[in-house]
Amino acid sequence: MKLTLSEAAAMLAHANKVVITAHENPDGDAVGSSLGLMHILHGMGKEAVVLLDDDIPAIFKVLPGYDIIGKPEEGQASVEADLLVILDTAPDRIGRVPEVTKAGTVLNIDHHRTNNGAAEYTYVDDTRAATAEIVYDLAKELGAVFTREPAMCIYTGLATDSGFFRFSNTTPHTMRAAAEMLECGVTANEISEALEEKPYQVVKDTAEAVNMAERFADGRAIGIFLDEATTARMEATEGFIGAIRVVEGVDVAVVLKAKEEKLCRVSMRSKGVDVSAIALSFGGGGHIRAAGCTLSMPFAEAKKTICAAIEQAIRDLPQAAALKAGMSGEGH
């Protein structure tokens, strides 16, 4: 059932015990919106915990509440709640959280246009740059008071999913929300410095990956393709796509990582191509300019498949439109 913002806020207002989760491989918006909502609910006198079924990158240690994020463990007792809130994704990407959560109701809050509305209750606003921006809207609807703790988390979600306010998904509302978080005591440089800091090995891995980049589709696409051994050897791969999407003349940038023998994860960014349509055709999703999917096939086949799909999408895009479009990177 699709909800309005006020209806979603009412569900939060009536719940006393809330479990909050987001997608596997969590990014700044997933972590920031989850912790931001947790702090807001705590400020309203409610019980709220965050459960994420994945390792949380250490760069998010700067966020209040990072050290109390829970992770589902096999055989653990169920966490009872009035409400399970799924943020920044559809219900099929939250891992084992449903297995360890006994909730009366499920509420899905997201900003991805490809959300399939499979949850019991869903609120999606794809005009917002980040799910953290929706959490901000919900807090306003609830009359919650912003303190530095939720503000740090919400600002992080806003900043990371908008490319620190550089991408085309940045709106006046995004900037006003960020400004208000700054007024609540957020130190923007503390967040940016923490998120930009990388271990020496990650910098070396990025240089190696960029050196492996391949152009295709007559130079209008570029990709980094990592087989299973290379993916396993590299310490982190999150920043790779940002390093190649800026190449002159490129419409689509893609990073493919083989995680297992027949499991490859794909991330795409574009200038003019609707990469969400490509991702959706493979069971994934995201935004028009930033999307991803998982391909259940061997590395070589996955590479051939995603490159063919990108080449076709570029052929279908009028050249004039591609040249006019500016590079964007709405968060996935």
Side-chain angles (χ1 to χ4, degrees):
M1 178 179 176
K2 294 183 178 179
L3 303 180
T4 63
L5 181 71
S6 60
E7 289 170 337
M11 290 187 69
L12 291 169
H14 290 123
N16 291 314
K17 294 183 178 181
V18 181
V19 172
I20 303 164
T21 192
H23 54 80
E24 299 167 298
N25 193 27
D27 57 9
D29 192 22
V31 178
S33 60
S34 296
L35 288 175
L37 181 58
M38 180 192 76
H39 289 303
I40 288 166
L41 295 176
H42 284 174
M44 297 171 64
K46 300 179 183 297
E47 293 183 37
V49 298
V50 175
L51 289 179
L52 297 178
D53 190 11
D54 213 332
D55 296 327
I56 315 302
I59 57 173
F60 298 120
K61 285 182 179 179
V62 69
L63 299 183
Y66 171 90
D67 55 342
I68 60 172
I69 295 174
K71 182 177 180 179
E73 300 293 344
E74 189 173 346
Q76 79 172 70
S78 295
V79 180
E80 295 194 6
D82 304 316
L83 186 64
L84 170 62
V85 180
I86 301 170
L87 298 177
D88 202 38
T89 187
D92 59 347
R93 292 187 59 207
I94 59 173
R96 296 170 294 176
V97 171
E99 299 172 16
V100 301
T101 303
K102 188 177 181 180
T105 308
V106 177
L107 170 61
N108 186 193
I109 298 169
D110 196 7
H111 75 129
H112 293 99
R113 66 195 290 265
T114 52
N115 188 297
N116 58 15
E120 185 179 2
Y121 295 97
T122 304
Y123 176 72
V124 175
D125 185 350
D126 63 4
T127 69
R128 296 310 190 207
T131 297
E133 194 169 350
I134 299 176
V135 171
Y136 167 86
D137 292 338
L138 287 166
K140 287 289 191 179
E141 189 76 18
L142 290 164
V145 177
F146 288 107
T147 61
R148 186 175 185 273
E149 287 186 334
M152 286 282 286
C153 303
I154 290 171
Y155 180 89
T156 297
L158 294 172
T160 53
D161 253 27
S162 66
F164 282 85
F165 314 105
R166 295 179 293 112
F167 296 156
S168 64
N169 58 352
T170 306
T171 66
H173 182 276
T174 311
M175 300 298 283
R176 283 191 290 268
E180 186 171 345
M181 297 303 95
L182 291 173
E183 290 172 344
C184 294
V186 169
T187 45
N189 64 300
E190 181 183 358
I191 292 173
S192 63
E193 288 167 9
L195 300 188
E196 290 169 358
E197 188 174 84
K198 295 178 175 63
Y200 176 64
Q201 187 58 48
V202 171
V203 175
K204 292 186 67 176
D205 288 346
T206 302
E208 180 185 351
V210 171
N211 195 47
M212 295 165 57
E214 304 174 32
R215 298 185 73 172
F216 60 101
D218 296 324
R220 295 178 64 188
I222 190 168
I224 293 174
F225 306 97
L226 307 174
D227 59 25
E228 188 178 353
T230 307
T231 301
R233 176 171 55 78
M234 290 188 164
E235 192 165 317
T237 60
E238 285 74 16
F240 291 177
I241 201 162
I244 61 171
R245 73 179 189 87
V246 296
V247 174
E248 183 180 7
V250 164
D251 289 336
V252 179
V254 58
V255 172
L256 183 148
K257 301 174 289 186
K259 303 294 287 185
E260 298 174 12
E261 185 180 353
K262 292 185 178 181
L263 180 67
C264 299
R265 289 183 178 174
V266 176
S267 296
M268 295 174 284
R269 300 291 184 270
S270 79
K271 294 178 182 177
V273 169
D274 181 357
V275 289
S276 71
I278 299 173
L280 195 61
S281 70
F282 295 112
H287 302 279
I288 294 175
R289 301 289 176 258
C293 59
T294 298
L295 300 179
S296 298
M297 57 186 74
F299 170 73
E301 183 182 351
K303 178 181 177 181
K304 181 178 179 180
T305 299
I306 198 63
C307 288
I310 290 171
E311 288 189 45
Q312 184 60 53
I314 289 174
R315 282 196 296 269
D316 292 342
L317 181 71
Q319 180 70 25
L323 292 174
K324 287 181 181 178
M327 176 62 80
S328 172
E330 302 157 17
H332 166 58

